[in-house]
Amino acid sequence: MYNSNRTNKPTFLDSKMGLERLVFFSDAVFAIAITLLALEIRLPVEATNLTNQNLLAVLLSIWPKYLSFIISFLVIGNFWIAHHRRFSLLTRYDNRLLVLNLLMLMSIAFIPFPTSIISENGNRTATIFYALAIIVTGLLSALLWWYTAWENRLIDKSVDKQEVRRNLLSILTTPAVFLLSIGLAFINPDLGKFSWILTAPAALMLR
Amino acid sequence: MYNSNRTNKPTFLDSKMGLERLVFFSDAVFAIAITLLALEIRLPVEATNLTNQNLLAVLLSIWPKYLSFIISFLVIGNFWIAHHRRFSLLTRYDNRLLVLNLLMLMSIAFIPFPTSIISENGNRTATIFYALAIIVTGLLSALLWWYTAWENRLIDKSVDKQEVRRNLLSILTTPAVFLLSIGLAFINPDLGKFSWILTAPAALMLR
Amino acid sequence: MYNSNRTNKPTFLDSKMGLERLVFFSDAVFAIAITLLALEIRLPVEATNLTNQNLLAVLLSIWPKYLSFIISFLVIGNFWIAHHRRFSLLTRYDNRLLVLNLLMLMSIAFIPFPTSIISENGNRTATIFYALAIIVTGLLSALLWWYTAWENRLIDKSVDKQEVRRNLLSILTTPAVFLLSIGLAFINPDLGKFSWILTAPAALMLR
Amino acid sequence: MYNSNRTNKPTFLDSKMGLERLVFFSDAVFAIAITLLALEIRLPVEATNLTNQNLLAVLLSIWPKYLSFIISFLVIGNFWIAHHRRFSLLTRYDNRLLVLNLLMLMSIAFIPFPTSIISENGNRTATIFYALAIIVTGLLSALLWWYTAWENRLIDKSVDKQEVRRNLLSILTTPAVFLLSIGLAFINPDLGKFSWILTAPAALMLR
C-alpha cells in the first residue's frame, strides 16, 4: 500500500493510500455522527429513583426522541450507503474533491443538532429546520457526485453517462422528498414528518 | 485494493474494498458506542472542592454506574466479537445486508441510553427496559447472520450447514438469557440483573 | 500487510503496518474532534414546546454557534488535509515522530473548547484565546513537518529541499494569519474574526 | 486481504483480516477515549457574554482542567504507543486475547471519568482514585502482554525471552510510578500529582 511507485516524484493526488485515507476519514465522520445521535435520547429531568410506574411513564413520554433517533439514523445511514457506493468507483482524487467532501461531511456532522431540536419541539419551525438540514446535505452530496463523475473526471472510464445521470437523480430523491415535506409542514407539521417515515426506508430499499 | 478488475463494468456488491469499508464502518460504530458508555459515569451533582471524606463517599455511592458500565461494555464487546468472527466469513455483500447491518448497528448505538437509565434507577421497569434493548440487538444480530449464512448466501461455500446453525444458536443465547431475566425481574429486579452478571462473562468465554 | 519480513528480528520503526496504524489513529482523532464540534451547537436553555415564532427566534439568535462550528470545521479540516498530504510522503517513522504527532493531535482535540468559548462570548478575550489555540496547533504541525522532512529524515528521498521548504511555509500561513488576527482583535474583536473567515477558505483552495 | 486460503475450512483465529480488525477496533477505542478527554474542559458555569476581564479570569481559573487534560492525554497516548508497538509483533490471536484486550480497553475508556474528578477536586481522594485507574490499566496491559508473549504464544518466534521480559518491565513502569504517587499523596496530594508530571514525558521518551 505504501510501496507505490516511489521512484518517480510522488504526486499527491492519485496515490491509493491517499484515496484510502480519504474514504476512511469520511467513514469515521459518518460513524461518529450516526452514533452521537443516541446522546440526544435523554430523560427530560435528572430522573433518579423513580417508581416503576413513573419511570415507565417517562420512558413512554419521550417517544418523539426514539422516533427522531430512528429517522436520523436511517437518513445518515442512507447517505453513508450512497457515499460508500459512489466512492468505490473513484480511481483518483484532487483538491476540490477533498474540499467538497469536507463540506458534505460538515452537513452530516450537523444533523444531530436539528435531530435534537425536532425531538423536543414537534412544531412547524422544527420540522422545516430539520428538512432544510437534510436538503443541504442532499444537495452537497449531489454536487460531490456531479464533480466526481461528470465526464468521468475522477471515476472509472467504464462508468457510462447514463449511470452517472441515474445516480445523480437517485441522490436528488432525498432532498426532493424533504422539500416536498416543507410544503406539507405548512398544512400540518405531522403530515410533513409522516412523509419522511415513508421515504427513509423506501430510499434504503430502492437504491 | 482499488485495482480490482476495472475493465469490466464495476459491480457494487462484491468488491473487496466495499466489504472492507462495511466492516470498518461497523467497527467504528461499535467502538464509539462502547467508549461513549463511560460518559454516563458522572457524579450526581456538580461536586467541586469536596473534602476527602465526602468525595470518597460520593465515589462509592455511584457503584451502580460502574457496574452498568462494566456490564454494557462486556455486552457490546461480546456483540463485537461475534460480528468480528462472522463477518470474517463473508465473501460478498448486497443491499439487504447493508440495511440489516445498519439496523443492528442502530440497536448497538442505542445501548448507552438504557445503560444510563439502569445506572440511575435500580427498579423493575429499568431492568426490563435494559433487557429489551439487549434482546432486540440479539435478535437483529441473529437475523443478520441468518440472512448472511442461510444456504451460504454471502459466506464462504466451505462453511457447512451445521456450523451455520451452531452459530445461530450461539447468537440466540444472549437474547434468551435476557428474556429469562425479564421473568426473574418480576420476582425481584436484582435477581434479574444478577443473572446478567453470570451470563456476560460466560458468553465471552464459551463462544 | 502482516507478512512483512518476519524472518529477521522485527524492527519497530519501519514496518508498513506500524505506519498505517499511526496514520489511522491520527485520522480517527481528527474525525472525532471535527464531529464533536457539532455538540457545542445547543439551544441556550432547555427549550421544549416552544411556539413556531419563538423557536425560529431562538434558532436565529444562536448564529454565532453556527459560524464558529463552520470556521472550526474548516480549520480542523484544513489541518487534516495538510496532515493527509504530508504523511503520504512518509516511508518510515520513529519514536520522536510518535510523540510530536501525539502533541499535535492533543492541540487538535483541544479545539472544540475554544470553539465553545467563542460561540458564547464574542469579545476580545475569546477571540485571542481561539486564535492562540490555532497558532499552537499550526506551530506543532510545522514542527512535525520540519522533524519529518528535514534532510529527508523520514520521507521519500525524491522530495527535494525546495518542496520541503515550500510546505513548511504553507503550514506556517495559518498560524501567521491567526497571529495577525490577534493584533486586529485589539482594534476590534469582530475585525479579528472577520480575517479568519477570509483565510480559512483561501487556505483550503490554495494549497 | 479477503482472498486468504478459503479452500480449507476457515479458522477464525489466525486470519490476517481478523488481526487487522482487532488492531483497528483497539485503535478506535484509544482515539475516542483520548479525544473525549477534551469534553471535560468546560467553564464552571454557563458563562455567556462575560466582559474581557471576567472571561480571562475564568479561563485562567480552570488551569487544573488543562493540566489534567494534558496528563491524561499523555498517559493514554503512552498506552497507545505501547499497544501499537507490541501488537506489531503479533502473528495470530485467540479468544482469550480478544477478552483480555477488551478488558484493557475498558480501563482505557474509563480514564475520562477519573480525569474529570481530578480536574474538579485537587484533594487526596481524587489523586488516589486517578492513580488507581492508571494502575489497573497498567496491570491489564502487562497481563495482556504476558499472555501474548509468554513462550511466544502469539508473537513472532524471533522475539527472544529477554526482549519479552524487558517489555514487561517497561509496561510495569507506569503502574509502579502511580503506586508510588499514592504513597506520596498521603504526605501531600500535590506531591503525588507532581510525580506524574515528571514520569509521563519520561515514559514517552525512554521507551
Side-chain angles (χ1 to χ4, degrees):
Chain A
M1 206 166 288
Y2 283 80
N3 53 1
S4 52
N5 52 339
R6 287 293 198 202
T7 45
N8 316 331
K9 193 147 176 300
T11 54
F12 290 121
L13 301 171
D14 60 359
S15 76
K16 283 170 198 169
M17 127 75 162
L19 199 50
E20 254 189 1
R21 271 193 79 174
L22 173 61
V23 163
F24 169 86
F25 181 76
S26 308
D27 279 359
V29 172
F30 275 107
I32 299 158
I34 214 171
T35 316
L36 288 181
L37 289 172
L39 292 187
E40 301 302 334
I41 311 176
R42 252 173 282 155
L43 298 192
V45 286
E46 195 67 52
T48 53
N49 297 315
L50 296 173
T51 65
N52 284 319
Q53 221 63 17
N54 286 349
L55 181 59
L56 185 62
V58 172
L59 286 175
L60 292 176
S61 72
I62 59 169
W63 65 266
K65 300 205 181 197
Y66 305 132
L67 194 61
S68 57
F69 168 69
I70 292 172
I71 293 173
S72 287
F73 203 99
L74 291 177
V75 166
I76 296 183
N78 194 20
F79 279 119
W80 176 74
I81 290 177
H83 191 269
H84 172 91
R85 202 166 284 165
R86 280 174 204 112
F87 266 57
S88 75
L89 299 171
L90 250 73
T91 51
R92 55 198 169 283
Y93 68 101
D94 62 12
N95 275 332
R96 277 180 203 150
L97 180 76
L98 287 179
V99 176
L100 286 175
N101 193 55
L102 201 64
L103 290 175
M104 192 274 295
L105 292 176
M106 196 196 290
S107 65
I108 291 287
F110 185 71
I111 291 177
F113 177 62
T115 304
S116 80
I117 296 294
I118 208 167
S119 73
E120 296 192 343
N121 292 277
N123 63 19
R124 197 176 63 222
T125 304
T127 308
I128 295 173
F129 185 66
Y130 185 88
L132 281 176
I134 308 301
I135 290 169
V136 169
T137 311
L139 292 180
L140 285 171
S141 294
L143 181 65
L144 185 63
W145 174 244
W146 173 83
Y147 180 75
T148 308
W150 215 246
E151 293 184 343
N152 298 60
R153 193 184 277 121
L154 301 171
I155 62 169
D156 199 76
K157 296 288 169 207
S158 64
V159 186
D160 61 24
K161 246 190 171 136
Q162 220 165 353
E163 199 179 329
V164 169
R165 203 173 297 136
R166 203 174 49 73
N167 264 284
L168 196 59
L169 285 175
S170 157
I171 301 175
L172 290 169
T173 312
T174 306
V177 169
F178 279 85
L179 189 63
L180 176 77
S181 80
I182 290 183
L184 293 173
F186 274 103
I187 306 172
N188 184 325
D190 291 331
L191 194 65
K193 277 178 268 180
F194 191 66
S195 69
W196 308 339
I197 301 174
L198 292 172
T199 54
L204 280 168
M205 293 300 169
L206 284 176
R207 217 169 300 182
Chain B
M1 205 168 289
Y2 283 81
N3 52 2
S4 53
N5 52 340
R6 288 291 199 203
T7 46
N8 316 330
K9 192 147 175 299
T11 55
F12 290 120
L13 302 171
D14 60 0
S15 75
K16 282 170 199 170
M17 125 75 161
L19 200 49
E20 253 187 4
R21 271 194 80 175
L22 173 60
V23 163
F24 170 86
F25 180 75
S26 309
D27 279 359
V29 172
F30 274 107
I32 299 158
I34 213 170
T35 316
L36 288 181
L37 289 171
L39 292 186
E40 301 302 334
I41 311 175
R42 253 174 280 153
L43 297 192
V45 286
E46 196 68 52
T48 52
N49 295 317
L50 296 172
T51 65
N52 285 319
Q53 221 64 16
N54 285 349
L55 180 59
L56 184 63
V58 172
L59 287 175
L60 291 176
S61 73
I62 59 170
W63 65 266
K65 301 206 181 195
Y66 305 131
L67 195 60
S68 57
F69 167 69
I70 292 172
I71 293 173
S72 287
F73 203 99
L74 291 177
V75 166
I76 296 183
N78 194 20
F79 279 119
W80 175 74
I81 290 177
H83 192 268
H84 172 91
R85 203 167 283 165
R86 280 174 205 112
F87 266 57
S88 74
L89 299 172
L90 251 73
T91 52
R92 54 199 169 281
Y93 70 101
D94 63 12
N95 275 333
R96 278 181 204 150
L97 180 76
L98 287 179
V99 176
L100 286 176
N101 192 56
L102 202 62
L103 291 175
M104 191 274 296
L105 292 176
M106 196 197 289
S107 65
I108 292 286
F110 185 70
I111 292 177
F113 177 61
T115 304
S116 80
I117 295 295
I118 207 167
S119 73
E120 296 192 342
N121 291 276
N123 63 20
R124 198 175 62 220
T125 303
T127 308
I128 295 173
F129 185 67
Y130 186 88
L132 281 175
I134 307 300
I135 290 170
V136 169
T137 311
L139 292 180
L140 285 170
S141 294
L143 181 64
L144 184 63
W145 174 244
W146 172 84
Y147 179 75
T148 308
W150 214 247
E151 294 183 343
N152 298 59
R153 194 185 276 119
L154 302 171
I155 61 169
D156 199 75
K157 296 288 169 209
S158 66
V159 185
D160 62 23
K161 245 187 171 140
Q162 220 166 352
E163 199 179 330
V164 169
R165 203 174 298 137
R166 203 172 50 72
N167 264 283
L168 197 58
L169 286 175
S170 156
I171 301 176
L172 289 169
T173 313
T174 307
V177 168
F178 280 85
L179 189 62
L180 176 78
S181 80
I182 291 182
L184 293 174
F186 275 101
I187 307 173
N188 183 324
D190 291 332
L191 194 65
K193 278 177 268 181
F194 191 67
S195 69
W196 309 338
I197 301 174
L198 292 171
T199 55
L204 279 168
M205 293 301 168
L206 283 176
R207 218 167 301 180
Chain C
M1 207 166 288
Y2 283 81
N3 54 0
S4 52
N5 52 339
R6 287 294 199 200
T7 44
N8 316 331
K9 192 146 175 301
T11 54
F12 290 121
L13 302 171
D14 61 359
S15 76
K16 283 170 199 168
M17 126 74 161
L19 199 50
E20 254 189 2
R21 272 194 78 174
L22 173 60
V23 162
F24 169 86
F25 181 76
S26 307
D27 279 359
V29 171
F30 275 106
I32 300 158
I34 213 170
T35 316
L36 288 181
L37 289 171
L39 293 186
E40 300 302 334
I41 311 176
R42 252 173 281 154
L43 297 192
V45 286
E46 195 69 54
T48 53
N49 296 316
L50 296 173
T51 65
N52 285 319
Q53 221 62 17
N54 286 348
L55 181 58
L56 185 63
V58 171
L59 286 175
L60 292 176
S61 72
I62 59 169
W63 64 267
K65 300 205 182 197
Y66 306 132
L67 194 61
S68 58
F69 167 69
I70 292 172
I71 293 172
S72 287
F73 203 98
L74 291 177
V75 165
I76 296 184
N78 194 21
F79 279 120
W80 176 75
I81 290 177
H83 192 269
H84 174 90
R85 200 167 285 165
R86 279 173 206 113
F87 266 58
S88 75
L89 298 172
L90 249 73
T91 51
R92 55 199 168 281
Y93 68 102
D94 63 12
N95 275 331
R96 278 180 203 150
L97 181 76
L98 288 178
V99 176
L100 286 175
N101 193 55
L102 202 62
L103 291 175
M104 190 274 294
L105 292 176
M106 195 196 291
S107 65
I108 291 287
F110 185 72
I111 291 177
F113 177 61
T115 304
S116 81
I117 295 295
I118 208 167
S119 73
E120 298 191 342
N121 291 277
N123 63 20
R124 197 175 65 220
T125 304
T127 308
I128 294 173
F129 185 66
Y130 186 87
L132 280 175
I134 307 302
I135 290 169
V136 169
T137 310
L139 292 180
L140 285 170
S141 294
L143 181 65
L144 186 62
W145 174 244
W146 173 83
Y147 179 75
T148 308
W150 214 247
E151 295 183 341
N152 298 60
R153 193 185 276 122
L154 302 171
I155 61 169
D156 199 75
K157 296 289 170 207
S158 65
V159 185
D160 60 25
K161 248 190 169 137
Q162 222 166 352
E163 198 178 330
V164 170
R165 203 173 297 137
R166 203 174 49 73
N167 263 284
L168 197 58
L169 285 176
S170 156
I171 302 175
L172 289 170
T173 314
T174 306
V177 169
F178 279 85
L179 188 62
L180 176 78
S181 81
I182 291 183
L184 294 173
F186 275 102
I187 307 173
N188 184 324
D190 291 332
L191 193 67
K193 278 178 268 180
F194 190 67
S195 68
W196 309 339
I197 302 173
L198 292 173
T199 55
L204 280 168
M205 292 301 167
L206 283 176
R207 217 168 303 181
Chain D
M1 207 166 288
Y2 282 81
N3 53 1
S4 51
N5 52 340
R6 288 292 199 199
T7 45
N8 316 331
K9 192 145 176 299
T11 54
F12 291 120
L13 302 171
D14 60 359
S15 76
K16 283 169 200 171
M17 126 73 162
L19 198 51
E20 253 188 3
R21 270 194 80 175
L22 173 60
V23 162
F24 169 86
F25 181 75
S26 308
D27 279 359
V29 172
F30 274 106
I32 300 158
I34 214 171
T35 316
L36 288 181
L37 289 171
L39 293 186
E40 301 302 334
I41 311 176
R42 252 173 282 154
L43 297 192
V45 287
E46 196 69 53
T48 52
N49 296 316
L50 296 173
T51 65
N52 285 319
Q53 220 63 16
N54 285 349
L55 180 59
L56 184 63
V58 172
L59 287 174
L60 292 176
S61 73
I62 59 169
W63 64 267
K65 300 206 181 195
Y66 306 132
L67 194 60
S68 57
F69 167 69
I70 292 172
I71 292 173
S72 287
F73 203 99
L74 291 177
V75 165
I76 296 184
N78 194 20
F79 278 120
W80 176 74
I81 290 177
H83 191 269
H84 172 91
R85 202 166 284 164
R86 278 174 206 112
F87 266 57
S88 74
L89 298 172
L90 250 73
T91 52
R92 56 198 168 280
Y93 69 100
D94 63 12
N95 275 332
R96 277 179 205 151
L97 181 76
L98 287 179
V99 176
L100 286 175
N101 193 54
L102 202 63
L103 292 176
M104 191 274 295
L105 292 176
M106 195 196 290
S107 65
I108 292 287
F110 185 71
I111 291 177
F113 177 60
T115 304
S116 80
I117 296 295
I118 209 168
S119 73
E120 297 191 344
N121 291 276
N123 63 19
R124 198 175 64 221
T125 304
T127 308
I128 294 173
F129 185 66
Y130 186 88
L132 280 176
I134 307 301
I135 290 170
V136 169
T137 311
L139 292 180
L140 285 170
S141 294
L143 181 63
L144 185 63
W145 174 243
W146 173 83
Y147 179 74
T148 308
W150 214 246
E151 294 183 342
N152 298 60
R153 194 185 275 121
L154 302 171
I155 61 169
D156 199 75
K157 297 289 169 207
S158 65
V159 185
D160 61 23
K161 245 186 171 143
Q162 221 165 352
E163 199 179 330
V164 170
R165 202 174 298 138
R166 204 174 48 73
N167 263 283
L168 197 59
L169 286 175
S170 157
I171 302 175
L172 289 169
T173 313
T174 306
V177 168
F178 279 85
L179 189 63
L180 176 78
S181 80
I182 291 182
L184 294 173
F186 274 102
I187 307 173
N188 184 324
D190 292 332
L191 194 65
K193 278 178 267 181
F194 191 66
S195 68
W196 308 339
I197 301 173
L198 292 172
T199 55
L204 279 168
M205 293 301 168
L206 283 177
R207 217 170 299 182

